[in-house]
Amino acid sequence: MKKLFFIFFVSFFVLSSCVEEQNFDQFDDLEIIPTIEASILYVESPESMINDATGAVWYIQTFNFDAFNENFFAENVLDGVIIYELENTTSKELEIIFEYLDEAGNVLDTETFNIDPAPTAVLRRETNYGTPTGRSLDIPRNTSQIRVNAINFGDTISTSSLQDPKIVFRSSGKFRVQLK
């Protein structure tokens, strides 16, 4: 009898307790906007390669890069930044030109870096896309290739006194993407 009374009491308590009405439409109000970060390009070249080049342009390479123009990214990207870092431990004054190209090879955007001979601090630059003060999001959306040109404004015989002299160029991107 006590058991039956307990079950009745608990059932009555549960049924008469305050229950908040559930809102199952909250999913429609949900926004999911992660920041996606990834490396874009890494190039490293020893000073001996610069000295061995015939002419001022000692490096030119075009890389296939379709990550930006994938449909999911192109349709959902909100804004972002590309971060460039250059470190020069060579005895050379250098210019590095970073170009974004569309499928037809047309230049969409260019970043130019003038770098003094070593010793120098790491050169860091951030370029914004899709913000009110940034460049158009159509640039990353339509990028299919990245071309890197490197020009030596120094000589081809000197060598830095630093250990393992080289130029290091890295870039990465951080973009906010609307998932829902």
Side-chain angles (χ1 to χ4, degrees):
M1 184 69 170
K2 286 184 179 182
K3 201 177 204 181
L4 184 61
F5 178 71
F6 180 74
I7 292 172
F8 175 74
F9 179 73
V10 170
S11 297
F12 176 75
F13 182 71
V14 169
L15 292 175
S16 64
S17 65
C18 296
V19 176
E20 190 175 314
E21 188 176 321
Q22 297 296 310
N23 179 0
F24 293 103
D25 294 327
Q26 289 176 340
F27 180 76
D28 295 334
D29 299 333
L30 182 66
E31 283 192 21
I32 302 172
I33 305 174
T35 298
I36 300 170
E37 184 172 358
S39 177
I40 296 175
L41 191 61
Y42 179 91
V43 177
E44 184 176 302
S45 181
E47 186 170 38
S48 60
M49 182 177 172
I50 300 168
N51 283 339
D52 290 344
T54 57
V57 177
W58 55 272
Y59 184 83
I60 187 166
Q61 181 73 40
T62 303
F63 301 90
N64 184 35
F65 191 79
D66 292 322
F68 288 153
N69 63 18
E70 289 294 326
N71 283 342
F72 176 79
F73 179 86
E75 293 170 3
N76 297 298
V77 64
L78 300 174
D79 55 36
V81 61
I82 295 181
I83 302 146
Y84 305 90
E85 289 184 352
L86 288 97
E87 183 176 2
N88 185 16
T89 57
T90 73
S91 63
K92 314 292 184 236
E93 179 184 352
L94 304 171
E95 181 177 74
I96 309 294
I97 304 167
F98 193 83
E99 297 174 303
Y100 296 95
L101 310 172
D102 65 12
E103 285 185 17
N106 300 310
V107 176
L108 301 172
D109 198 14
T110 302
E111 289 286 342
T112 302
F113 302 89
N114 293 305
I115 307 155
D116 292 329
T120 60
V122 173
L123 174 63
R124 181 180 165 94
R125 182 183 301 167
E126 295 185 6
T127 303
N128 292 298
Y129 293 89
T131 61
T133 59
R135 297 178 185 175
S136 170
L137 274 174
D138 288 339
I139 295 167
R141 283 181 180 138
N142 294 308
T143 294
S144 182
Q145 300 173 331
I146 298 172
R147 182 170 49 218
V148 178
N149 294 293
I151 301 167
N152 176 12
F153 291 123
D155 60 33
T156 58
I157 54 173
S158 65
T159 303
S160 173
S161 60
L162 298 174
Q163 185 178 359
D164 192 27
K166 60 186 164 191
I167 178 76
V168 177
F169 177 88
R170 22 176 125 69
S171 62
S172 62
K174 288 175 23 177
F175 287 88
R176 289 183 331 124
V177 178
Q178 175 101 38
L179 295 182
K180 182 187 169 317

